[in-house]
Amino acid sequence: MSEGSGNRPDSRWAAYEWWQARLASAFFGEHRRDTPVLFFINDSELRELQGGAEVQDLGTAVSSVLAWHGNPYDPVSHRCRTWRRGKREDPPPCLPLLAAAVLAAAKMQRTEAGPGAPAYYARLAEVLRPAWGGEQHRKPLESNYETVVGQWICLDEWLREQDGARGLSTVKENPTYRKIGYAQSQALVRASDHAALQRFFRSEGLSPGRSADGGRLLKALRMWSAVNPEGLSQRLRQALDSHAESPLLQPLLVTLLEGWDGSAAQGRADSGRLRIRLRVVLEDEFTGWETRWHAEAVAGVDRDSLQHPAGALELELADQVYRLSGVMPDVARALQHGLTARGTKADACVEGGRDVLVLREDPVAGGWAETDKLTVFEPYVFLFTRSGQGPLQRLLADTGHQWRRPESVPIPGWQVTPELRFDDEQVLAAALSRSGVRSVRHHPVRRLSLRNGLLVKREWRHRSLFMLGAEPDVMVPEELRGPGLVTLDGQPLEVPSDGLTVLRGRGLTPGRHVLAAGGTATDFYLEPAPEPPEGAPAEPPGTPPGTVAVPLDGDVRFLTARGHFLTAGRPPEPVWWTERAPVLRGGGTVRVTVPPDAVWLVAISGAGVPAVTLLRTQAPAFESLSRAAKDFWSGLVLLDLAGVPHASLWKRYREAALSQFPRGGFTRV
């Protein structure tokens, strides 16, 4: 590959040649066979490529070999001419220069007017800055850029000569951006976007290997991505929202469709290995928030050892998820800089540079798990940094939410909001587009939604975990009510004209069930009703619905999700009872109607011993408590229900009540 003194350790070409070999291996290795190659480069990718190697950064390595007295690109161009006369077994020796060109495109600051040559060459001058300093090097970079175009063409020709053995070329001249379009198009789509794009091709009924109209393809992808954002990188999502980048995306999508083999591939990282997404999970414990990583299983990977800068992360398949052990990546660092943990079968990835994360309750993860979409009628919490607080406050203000004091989390520099819910589709979409929150997308409710049913939980409350025999109903949007459009566990589901479809009485079994329609899926879980404890009295036949038995004596109140209490309206003990059974006085019960917003029943005996009963599962939503409510809660916040099924939810209520007291009044226990 080298010439002259290129192989000597002290040569100015040494770092350049290191990057040439690294880029050739990562992007043009045999693992790319028959797959479209996208030469995507950004700062995060460069850090992962460099790893712990003591080598100059890419920009410095390239700058040090350029000829700043004339055409800067001549030395690299000369190497390519020499390479053409050889065996041409490896990629042309211009990969570091082309990577620097793509890096400049990734760094462009775009405006409403769209990407343009002046912004591009300014970024290229920042990447390729000569060691002698000065600000006059941009002009020769721009005036001689035709040489770089020739090297893109050289790479394209080599890939075509290999007949797919080292990947399929996506290098094409762009009629709108004839020179800089080569680099700009490579900076839009990552290899990790392939699986999502292939799902899009299949959902649109497109045929592999056939050409398509780029404009129609892009329009369809924008509509599809609004409902199916999973798997699309942040950079591609930004490009889809930018009409100025349409001339770049259209031909690229056509090229990807032409190179598609018709399969629905699993997500793959830029290395070509299977892609596993590490997601942040928060658990709301009584002692405060706890954080951990979560990784859902992918087919073909039962176990693997993934190397990252701090050590090795071990994966072991456990049902639908991986059991994680070994050295856990630092959450704060991964969120700031991004992370790729590389294994033999898979890479685990974390996207860096985000200031706002949205989390939703996830029954598989067992906590509040990171997602990239927002929809209405579902609860969320937001993780944010100081930089992300302003955009997040704008989003909440525009959706009618009052900014409430955030809570601390064990991630330095991050905080979390209380639970939030959005209830207006159009307001949410407009507010999100204005807010500046870039890592989250609006997810329109053109999908199935669960209604009714009896929610249950074991150690943590799941909003999609229902009791067997008390399955939910599913509401089907009008456009999906046709025959065969909705399936339950792969079987067609008959939908009535009003869309509300009853799932009870269908002989469903415990475990996971999947409702699918319109390219999206909604899952729920069924759990058998728990056996009553030994000695627990059965409800007598003919018990009035919506009532509960309460003691006739003592203090009995219902508690709501807001922390308020409602006094149970009980009649006095009958006169005949007090006259005929004075010894048993105080032991009677009476049935009272349960208020519709009651969550807990609290009965405090005359001796001051409280007993707490869960009436229905609902998360705490405390706002402010009256003095009377605080007085009542002061006798309950230290009550631990360890060992009972609803202990975890009761802890959350105690925590919410404690937050209402002045500091120093109570402490966490």
Side-chain angles (χ1 to χ4, degrees), residues 77 80 84 92 94 98 144-157 179 182:
S77 181
C80 287
R84 282 181 180 276
C94 55
L98 299 184
N144 295 283
Y145 196 78
E146 193 72 45
T147 305
V148 180
V149 173
Q151 291 165 358
W152 280 114
I153 295 172
C154 181
L155 176 60
D156 174 58
E157 291 174 350
K179 291 184 179 181
Y182 290 100

Side-chain angles (χ1 to χ4, degrees), residues 73-87:
Y73 313 113
D74 270 349
V76 177
S77 181
H78 176 67
R79 283 202 162 201
C80 287
R81 288 193 296 271
T82 303
W83 168 87
R84 282 181 180 276
R85 296 191 295 268
K87 295 181 179 180

Side-chain angles (χ1 to χ4, degrees), residues 14-32:
Y16 183 96
E17 290 177 344
W18 186 93
W19 279 107
Q20 171 72 21
R22 186 72 183 91
L23 293 167
S25 172
F27 289 95
F28 303 98
E30 293 183 358
H31 65 281
R32 298 293 191 183

